[in-house]
Amino acid sequence: MWHEFFPYGFERYLVGGLSIGVGVALLFVTTGRLGGASTVFSATWSWFSRLPFFQQSSLRGSRNWRVIYALGMLLGGVLYVALGLPVEGSQVSLGRLIVGGLLVGFGARLGGGCTSGHGICGMASLSVGSMLMVVVFLSTAIMTALLMKVVM
């Protein structure tokens, strides 16, 4: 039965999940900070933009570790490809990827964080707000997928 959900095996998901768990645990143990990807963008822009939003002390004070955190995520992808593991291209058009990215970015700002921050770190720390946000994220994703299935 699990073959229906994991046609290429479950091992890659197990390794990925364990790697993410170890990574955020290591971040918390070494810095006391919770991981999340959405603030990396704003913190990085604090070096280049003088707009008041990007000059918040919370962004300027965290940009160094956030950039290292983001580079670690990129390194994970590079390592995956370097190991010769299977890579599948997306069948989604560039326009839809851009619109989707903008909507996800807006949602992350509106929700006070991204799926990785709320879903991995927030839920692990038993944050009620994060648990509610994950319900919103998943509900929206399911409705969007069903709508796209009808439209396509």
Side-chain angles (χ1 to χ4, degrees):
M1 173 168 164
W2 64 268
H3 294 289
E4 294 176 35
F5 298 109
F6 304 105
Y8 300 107
F10 66 89
E11 296 83 6
R12 68 175 77 177
Y13 305 105
L14 179 62
V15 170
L18 289 173
S19 298
I20 291 169
V22 167
V24 296
L26 184 62
L27 175 67
F28 185 75
V29 167
T30 58
T31 68
R33 300 175 194 269
L34 297 176
S38 64
T39 312
V40 170
F41 179 79
S42 300
T44 302
W45 272 103
S46 72
W47 273 308
F48 308 107
S49 175
R50 296 293 164 224
L51 293 173
F53 174 82
F54 296 112
Q55 291 305 309
Q56 296 175 62
S57 61
S58 61
L59 294 176
R60 289 190 1 238
S62 66
R63 61 188 176 194
N64 290 333
W65 78 264
R66 289 188 189 281
V67 168
I68 293 168
Y69 184 72
L71 290 173
M73 288 188 277
L74 290 173
L75 180 63
V78 169
L79 181 61
Y80 183 89
V81 171
L83 291 173
L85 297 168
V87 178
E88 296 179 34
S90 175
Q91 302 301 317
V92 179
S93 70
L94 180 60
R96 284 190 178 181
L97 285 173
I98 291 170
V99 169
L102 291 172
L103 289 172
V104 168
F106 176 75
R109 287 289 98 208
L110 184 66
C114 60
T115 53
S116 60
H118 285 298
I120 298 167
C121 297
M123 287 183 60
S125 62
L126 302 178
S127 165
V128 174
S130 289
M131 290 181 197
L132 290 173
M133 288 311 304
V134 169
V135 169
V136 171
F137 293 151
L138 288 175
S139 300
T140 303
I142 291 168
M143 289 187 293
T144 302
L146 292 173
L147 178 66
M148 294 306 294
K149 189 174 183 180
V150 171
V151 172
M152 302 312 283

